[in-house]
Amino acid sequence: MLVEVEMDNLKGIKRTSYAGLINEKQVGQEVVLMGWIQRSRNLGSLIFADIRDREGLAQIVFDSELNSDLFEKAKNLKSEYVVAVKGKIRERSSKNPNIKTGNVELLADELRILSKAEVPPIYVKDDDNVSENMRLKYRTLDLRKPFMQNNLKTRSKLYKLTRDFFYEEGFIEVETPILTKPTPEGARDYLVPSRVNPGKFYALPQSPQLMKQLLMVSGLDKYIQITKCFRDEDLRFNRQPEFTQIDMELSFIDEEDIFAVNERYLKKIFKEMIGVDIKTPIRRMPYKEAMTKYGSDKPDLRFEMELKDFSEVFKNSEFKVFADTISTGGSVRGICVKNGANLLARKAVDKLSDFVKTYGAKGLAWVKYVDGDFSGPAAKFIDKEKDEVISIAKAEDGDLILFVADSDKVVFDSLGNLRVHLAKELNLIPEDVYELVWITEFPLFEYDDEEKRYVAVHHPFTHPFDEDLEYMLTDPKRVRARAYDIVINGDEMGGGSIRISDQEMQKIAFKALGFSEEDAQNKFGFLLDAFKYGVPPHGGLAYGLDRLVMLFTKSENLRDVIAFPKTQSASCLMTGAPTELSQAQLGEVHIKVLEDDK
């Protein structure tokens, strides 16, 4: 029969060690451990209980022959009870090599039950295989899991390393406003109504971009901030409506200065976080080369399978699909899958056609190269060009060649993503290899078919290449940006640019984007006004801290490296946010909610 136990307290007792840190050197010592009961096992005269804290597990022993009252109290222990236990460390007779405290245990002589727990709706263990929605709803329980605690500790370590590094480099940490002015470019803003200014709104910052530029105008010279940013956009597995950014800006610099300080930073955090020595200087690759070779401005360089351009070969081809595409300004490109003829059956290859259609392609043409000849649906159409195709693709016996014919955008999207998909399917990506690359020379503008105007690829404050200035208003698509992204294993980890530091050039950039002088002054007048009083050449970069933590913890989901993330519908299952407001609350901020038309 269990004894009804009243809750104890901490009066007169202090924790002396974390449970997950006790070891053989402490044998014979008296310690006090505090934490949660992972599980308890009653073997008749002995009760074994595992206590868990942020450092790990330790085994506690309650012996009925040594203390019958304590033993009776220990019978009440259940999963997730919060306890304090005092006793002596002793060597375990049956050691457990699976936990770091597996050579010792605590023989208890005092037990305090600090808090009871109901049966938890999810197990507190790494391999519980529970749905993500349940994990997010009961996030406090989910965060007790060892892998989640390790992820958050890794995140904390990155915070400290980052601040230590940039402080040593002479950077000054400055907090920029969270309530700021809505921006007309980029993603949608999260808007905040002003109670004291009826009908007016703040925006939560998508980044501290303009504020950090103004700090350079202010003479601060080197700025750093680890900050929250907000974007109201459709979510993917590596996106959140609020995210953390390592943000920096420097004065009197050029791209090489930015690269140098960040390569020192990356070298430090890779070594300190995962013990990897990265090679510096990091490779630089122009945007055009990245797209041409890999179909992506964030190429994964851990494997080959480069895109090949067959447009010249097929421009006069009898294969009408290819020839017509080229004649209307498109291209025919492909990838050669080594030994793909043997690795991929016909049905598997056909499924790849469905894959590229999700990126806008009309289909996928393919041939297998076996015993010196082509086979497959496209073989009879390209027989005349066979030798040239083999030469360009560098095909060998047993290879599979895949083609997409369409506009360059569709071709690059389709083959770039297909390249990565196949590498994963065929296990071509080596583990524990890190390939870093700077992508440079991005286009400054791109044409938006919906808005019928040019928009900034990054933002309107990026400095163009000096030799491209003449095209700013006459041929914007030719203008290259002094922008750069740092890409690691196919993921963009950060990006930045040299900024426009001349008032007249900034006005030209706004004009190229379709802003009238009045619009530009209304939206960015505070920046233009500041530029009247002396602006140093400046530039910067921002990392996605969440993505770096994903990299260092080998997490596949961004939500596993954030304490309290949102779902793909930008909601919080734990708190129920966002929620409806009362009429009184809405009235205070001068807002009326309209009902949807049914």
Side-chain angles (χ1 to χ4, degrees):
M1 180 177 177
L2 295 180
V3 178
E4 185 63 30
V5 178
E6 294 184 1
M7 292 303 95
D8 298 315
N9 57 49
L10 290 177
K11 187 175 181 180
I13 193 171
K14 296 287 185 183
R15 179 171 60 188
T16 62
S17 174
Y18 283 112
L21 297 181
I22 62 172
N23 56 62
E24 296 94 323
K25 294 180 181 178
Q26 295 172 286
V27 169
Q29 294 181 16
E30 183 177 83
V31 299
V32 176
L33 306 181
M34 298 181 184
W36 287 259
I37 295 299
Q38 180 78 10
R39 62 173 182 159
S40 180
R41 308 172 300 286
N42 189 335
L43 303 185
S45 62
L46 295 173
I47 292 175
F48 293 95
D50 292 335
I51 186 173
R52 184 191 70 246
D53 60 23
R54 75 176 197 186
E55 299 299 332
L57 293 171
Q59 180 168 278
I60 309 167
V61 182
F62 299 93
D63 190 331
S64 61
E65 294 184 3
L66 297 178
N67 190 326
S68 59
D69 290 340
L70 181 65
F71 185 84
E72 289 300 313
K73 187 174 183 179
K75 286 182 179 180
N76 293 274
L77 294 178
K78 295 179 181 179
S79 176
E80 302 311 309
Y81 273 34
V82 181
V83 300
V85 186
K86 185 171 74 172
K88 286 188 176 181
I89 304 292
R90 70 180 187 184
E91 189 174 354
R92 286 176 66 159
S93 58
S94 178
K95 295 179 171 54
N96 181 358
N98 296 320
I99 58 174
K100 59 185 178 182
T101 62
N103 291 336
V104 293
E105 61 191 10
L106 180 71
L107 180 61
D109 58 38
E110 183 178 352
L111 168 66
R112 298 192 188 187
I113 298 177
L114 304 174
S115 178
K116 293 181 180 180
E118 296 181 8
V119 176
I122 64 175
Y123 291 113
V124 181
K125 60 178 184 178
D126 287 346
D127 57 349
D128 64 338
N129 199 31
V130 70
S131 72
E132 185 175 59
N133 280 354
M134 286 289 285
R135 290 181 56 202
L136 294 177
K137 181 175 177 62
Y138 299 99
R139 193 60 166 180
T140 50
L141 292 174
D142 192 60
L143 289 176
R144 293 180 187 178
K145 297 174 182 176
F147 92 95
M148 287 299 298
Q149 298 231 331
N150 287 335
N151 285 355
L152 293 184
K153 286 192 282 187
T154 299
R155 186 183 181 100
S156 177
K157 182 178 180 180
L158 183 58
Y159 267 81
K160 184 178 187 304
L161 285 172
T162 298
R163 282 198 165 97
D164 287 349
F165 173 84
F166 285 105
Y167 278 36
E168 290 171 5
E169 291 274 342
F171 285 71
I172 299 172
E173 187 165 13
V174 180
E175 295 172 302
T176 52
I178 293 297
L179 294 177
T180 186
K181 187 173 183 175
T183 56
E185 298 286 303
R188 287 183 296 273
D189 288 319
Y190 277 100
L191 301 175
V192 181
S194 172
R195 180 183 60 83
V196 297
N197 297 283
K200 295 185 178 181
F201 294 81
Y202 301 102
L204 303 182
Q206 296 185 33
S207 81
Q209 181 61 47
L210 295 179
M211 293 300 169
K212 66 179 181 178
Q213 286 190 243
L214 292 173
L215 287 172
M216 297 302 99
V217 180
S218 303
L220 209 65
D221 197 71
K222 291 182 180 179
Y223 143 91
I224 186 70
Q225 183 182 193
I226 300 176
T227 184
K228 282 285 189 182
C229 299
F230 308 85
R231 290 177 189 169
D232 186 6
E233 59 185 355
D234 296 331
L235 304 187
R236 300 195 296 271
F237 86 99
N238 63 344
R239 292 286 175 90
Q240 282 282 299
E242 55 179 307
F243 55 95
T244 305
Q245 194 163 283
I246 302 171
D247 199 55
M248 72 190 73
E249 197 80 2
L250 303 84
S251 293
F252 304 107
I253 47 76
D254 59 16
E255 291 90 333
E256 292 302 321
D257 298 308
I258 299 284
F259 294 161
V261 69
N262 280 282
E263 288 179 7
R264 292 195 296 273
Y265 169 66
L266 290 167
K267 196 169 186 68
K268 179 180 179 67
I269 62 173
F270 264 85
K271 183 65 175 178
E272 296 287 335
M273 297 295 293
I274 55 175
V276 170
D277 286 307
I278 63 168
K279 296 178 182 178
T280 55
I282 294 170
R283 178 180 176 181
R284 288 79 183 281
M285 182 183 296
Y287 169 86
K288 188 174 181 180
E289 179 184 343
M291 297 302 295
T292 301
K293 286 186 175 180
Y294 304 102
S296 172
D297 59 4
K298 40 184 181 293
D300 192 334
L301 303 181
R302 290 174 294 175
F303 59 98
E304 295 293 331
M305 211 188 302
E306 292 183 7
L307 276 61
K308 303 296 182 181
D309 190 352
F310 299 99
S311 301
E312 192 64 28
V313 174
F314 291 115
K315 68 179 182 180
N316 297 315
S317 174
E318 294 177 5
F319 190 17
K320 192 171 177 60
V321 173
F322 283 4
D324 287 353
T325 298
I326 297 165
S327 68
T328 55
S331 63
V332 178
R333 301 173 194 263
I335 53 178
C336 181
V337 184
K338 291 299 174 185
N339 201 31
N342 301 315
L343 294 173
L344 295 168
R346 171 69 183 260
K347 187 178 291 187
V349 178
D350 287 340
K351 284 184 178 180
L352 298 180
S353 183
D354 294 331
F355 179 87
V356 297
K357 286 178 182 178
T358 64
Y359 297 96
K362 299 176 185 66
L364 184 72
W366 58 272
V367 293
K368 291 183 176 182
Y369 181 48
V370 179
D371 295 331
D373 208 354
F374 281 163
S375 64
K380 62 182 178 181
F381 299 109
I382 63 173
D383 186 63
K384 290 182 179 179
E385 296 86 5
K386 182 178 73 172
D387 291 342
E388 289 179 276
V389 169
I390 292 170
S391 176
I392 292 171
K394 297 181 180 178
E396 300 172 308
D397 192 68
D399 289 351
L400 170 70
I401 307 173
L402 306 168
F403 305 91
V404 172
D406 216 304
S407 66
D408 279 349
K409 183 182 187 312
V410 171
V411 169
F412 289 144
D413 282 352
S414 301
L415 290 177
N417 284 284
L418 180 61
R419 173 182 177 270
V420 175
H421 173 75
L422 283 169
K424 291 177 179 177
E425 290 290 309
L426 300 176
N427 295 317
L428 302 179
I429 304 176
E431 292 186 8
D432 299 321
V433 171
Y434 299 92
E435 290 290 345
L436 290 76
V437 60
W438 289 106
I439 304 299
T440 62
E441 298 184 33
F442 283 87
L444 187 63
F445 305 111
E446 61 185 353
Y447 193 76
D448 189 308
D449 290 324
E450 290 185 8
E451 295 194 27
K452 304 299 181 185
R453 68 178 180 92
Y454 282 98
V455 296
V457 171
H458 287 84
H459 54 65
F461 318 106
T462 301
H463 201 297
F465 269 63
D466 290 340
E467 53 266 44
D468 296 343
L469 287 173
E470 61 183 294
Y471 307 116
M472 287 282 283
L473 298 177
T474 59
D475 194 2
K477 65 180 180 296
R478 291 184 61 174
V479 183
R480 292 167 297 162
R482 294 177 65 183
Y484 35 80
D485 284 353
I486 182 67
V487 175
I488 305 176
N489 290 356
D491 287 318
E492 176 200 334
M493 291 294 166
S497 67
I498 302 300
R499 323 301 186 190
I500 295 173
S501 55
D502 177 78
Q503 186 184 34
E504 292 306 313
M505 185 186 295
Q506 187 65 74
K507 288 180 179 179
I508 292 172
F510 288 148
K511 187 174 182 180
L513 293 168
F515 291 111
S516 67
E517 287 190 23
E518 184 179 354
D519 285 339
Q521 187 63 35
N522 182 47
K523 293 165 180 171
F524 303 107
F526 62 97
L527 179 72
L528 295 173
D529 289 345
F531 275 21
K532 296 176 183 178
Y533 306 110
V535 185
H538 61 285
L541 182 140
Y543 293 97
L545 182 138
D546 308 310
R547 297 185 190 185
L548 285 172
V549 180
M550 278 183 73
L551 179 74
F552 293 137
T553 58
K554 297 184 178 180
S555 298
E556 295 183 359
N557 192 324
L558 193 66
R559 288 183 279 275
D560 285 344
V561 300
I562 299 172
F564 302 106
K566 304 292 188 295
T567 66
Q568 282 195 300
S569 61
S571 61
C572 175
L573 297 181
M574 182 182 69
T575 65
T579 60
E580 295 179 348
L581 298 179
S582 69
Q583 288 301 316
Q585 289 172 304
L586 290 171
E588 286 182 341
V589 292
H590 319 287
I591 285 181
K592 181 179 180 180
V593 177
L594 300 178
E595 293 185 9
D596 290 335
D597 293 331
K598 299 296 183 183

